[in-house]
Amino acid sequence: MSRITGQQSATPDRPAARVRYVGSFTELSRQVKDSDLLDRRYGWYWSRIIGIVLAYAAVWVAVVIIGDSWWQLVVAGVLAVISAQIGFLGHDAAHRQVFRSWQWNEWTSRVLSGLFLGLSYGWWDKKHSMHHAAPNQEGIDPDIASGALAFTPDLARARQGMGAAFARRQGWLFFPLLTLEGLNLQLRGVQTVTSRRPLPQRWAEASLIGVRLVAYPIALLLLLPPGKAGAFFGLHMALFGVLLGGSFAPNHKGMPLVPHGMKVDFLRRQVLMSRNIVGGPLVDFAMGGLNRQIEHHLFPSMPRPNLRRVQPLVRAHCAKHNVTYTQKTLWQSYRMVIRYLNQVGIGARDPFDCPLVRRYRG
């Protein structure tokens, strides 16, 4: 979908309804640009980057002090929480939210993701950019492409044997599978830096990932007996996968799907396919700002702390133009995800029928 730059005229292949929504986003975008909501928040981000690095170092000091004890599993849980927060900061930097300079943002994300988590910035940047361009659009959004789970009815119906049996139960298996997400992301990183596909800063990224993937298990084996080192590693990676994957899943899974070839204006494409999660400071912390997914998709380079401030403007704008703005609690959203995956798994046709299909088809 091409970038929307302003008002367009209605034509036979461009319905008036779509033109109206294009113009309405221009109105909202101008209102936001005239405010200070796109300004960088250096103090907010520097305090969190420094704080999270110090917390990461403190965890390893705790590992040394506690020594040969099963209390190390508590430390592993704390490290998982810290790792998820590092992932969120890497996500913000990759979206150019932290600094004005794209180089500073890129390298901040690359170092945080690679050195501390063993994840590939290059792999994530390409995949996530495609998702933002066309959320929940079949054949375009990689987040609903074929994988361990079938996110669309057509993908589920194409499976046979054990794959089909798995798909019929995939809603209940979704959260157990998240325990493997941390390892899956690290595997994707290794595949990316060792592939022949073009990758900017390949050697720098490979070095950062290599240091993390080698140094971490060696440090555990040097500081702990093998059994406790394995338990520490397993709990850390499983909880990290649940925390990170559980923050991305509630935002789009179970929202309407968009057929591959359908054109949708930018405002509706981002709002109708996204879902916000309501809650207080704990939800803000646990989800790294992704609980305001609608605002993030409309203004992806807006600093995370400003998403709360822009939310009233976006809600009022959507109400004014009769665009559905979805908000659920975290538990309501998880129930929707499980229900959606189970319905898709049994091959239900259009379990969440998209109103855009009825409006724009033809």
Side-chain angles (χ1 to χ4, degrees):
M1 179 178 177
S2 60
R3 183 178 296 276
I4 296 173
T5 56
Q7 183 71 38
Q8 303 179 29
S9 300
T11 64
D13 62 341
R14 185 183 295 144
R18 190 186 308 162
V19 173
R20 181 170 66 251
Y21 290 117
V22 171
S24 77
F25 179 72
T26 303
E27 171 193 335
L28 175 62
S29 180
R30 186 178 300 114
Q31 185 180 7
V32 170
K33 288 178 181 178
D34 289 342
S35 69
D36 63 349
L37 295 173
L38 293 174
D39 293 349
R40 301 303 92 183
R41 296 288 297 273
Y42 290 117
W44 194 92
Y45 275 112
W46 273 119
S47 65
R48 277 153 182 79
I49 292 173
I50 294 171
I52 206 68
V53 172
L54 291 176
Y56 189 89
V59 162
W60 288 101
V61 172
V63 171
V64 174
I65 293 174
I66 293 173
D68 185 0
S69 168
W70 286 109
W71 284 105
Q72 293 285 4
L73 296 184
V74 175
V75 182
V78 173
L79 182 57
V81 174
I82 292 171
S83 298
Q85 294 301 313
I86 292 174
F88 295 141
L89 287 171
H91 169 268
D92 291 359
H95 273 294
R96 316 293 190 254
Q97 295 178 16
V98 181
F99 303 105
R100 288 191 180 91
S101 165
W102 69 266
Q103 292 98 333
W104 274 71
N105 281 303
E106 180 180 306
W107 278 100
T108 298
S109 183
R110 183 176 284 117
V111 171
L112 288 174
S113 302
L115 187 60
F116 289 91
L117 304 177
L119 308 184
S120 168
Y121 162 81
W123 172 81
W124 180 93
D125 186 55
K126 179 179 179 180
K127 175 179 180 292
H128 202 62
S129 296
M130 293 171 65
H131 161 71
H132 267 262
N136 276 18
Q137 185 151 17
E138 296 179 276
I140 300 178
D141 183 359
D143 286 358
I144 61 170
S146 181
L149 300 172
F151 289 111
T152 69
D154 288 341
L155 291 176
R157 282 193 292 270
R159 299 193 174 186
Q160 299 178 350
M162 291 297 294
F166 180 92
R168 287 194 294 270
R169 299 165 178 82
Q170 64 179 2
W172 306 116
L173 295 171
F174 177 67
F175 289 100
L177 282 174
L178 285 182
T179 61
L180 302 175
E181 182 62 13
L183 293 174
N184 175 58
L185 292 174
Q186 290 181 347
L187 176 61
R188 297 290 186 182
V190 172
Q191 291 173 335
T192 298
V193 298
T194 58
S195 72
R196 296 184 177 181
R197 293 189 296 272
L199 178 67
Q201 305 297 335
R202 179 185 300 276
W203 289 110
E205 191 161 306
S207 299
L208 292 168
I209 292 174
V211 168
R212 164 59 176 76
L213 296 184
V214 172
Y216 175 47
I218 289 178
L220 285 179
L221 290 172
L222 289 175
L223 295 171
L224 299 174
K228 290 186 176 67
F232 187 106
F233 178 88
L235 180 60
H236 169 219
M237 294 306 300
L239 186 54
F240 169 60
V242 170
L243 290 173
L244 199 64
S247 298
F248 283 90
N251 303 318
H252 300 283
K253 302 298 184 288
M255 297 303 286
L257 298 177
V258 183
H260 175 73
M262 192 170 72
K263 304 296 184 181
V264 186
D265 63 273
F266 182 79
L267 177 69
R268 295 194 125 207
R269 175 183 292 277
Q270 304 301 338
V271 175
L272 292 181
M273 313 313 155
S274 304
R275 176 171 59 238
N276 278 7
I277 308 300
V278 297
L282 182 60
V283 172
D284 286 349
F285 174 81
M287 299 195 67
L290 298 176
N291 48 313
R292 296 186 174 87
Q293 190 73 186
I294 293 173
E295 288 73 24
H296 171 58
H297 264 252
L298 288 174
F299 303 99
S301 65
M302 179 176 289
R304 190 200 309 177
N306 289 350
L307 296 176
R308 175 180 59 83
R309 297 171 57 200
V310 80
Q311 188 173 18
L313 296 178
V314 174
R315 290 187 65 182
H317 184 83
C318 290
K320 175 182 176 182
H321 294 278
N322 196 31
V323 178
T324 302
Y325 182 101
T326 302
Q327 291 193 110
K328 300 291 182 181
T329 68
L330 187 60
W331 306 117
Q332 287 173 331
S333 181
Y334 283 153
R335 285 197 297 269
M336 291 178 68
V337 171
I338 293 172
R339 172 174 166 251
Y340 171 78
L341 288 173
N342 281 334
Q343 286 188 303
V344 167
I346 61 175
R349 187 66 203 172
D350 298 329
F352 283 74
D353 186 26
C354 181
L356 294 172
V357 177
R358 297 190 298 270
R359 188 174 186 87
Y360 289 104
R361 193 191 297 272

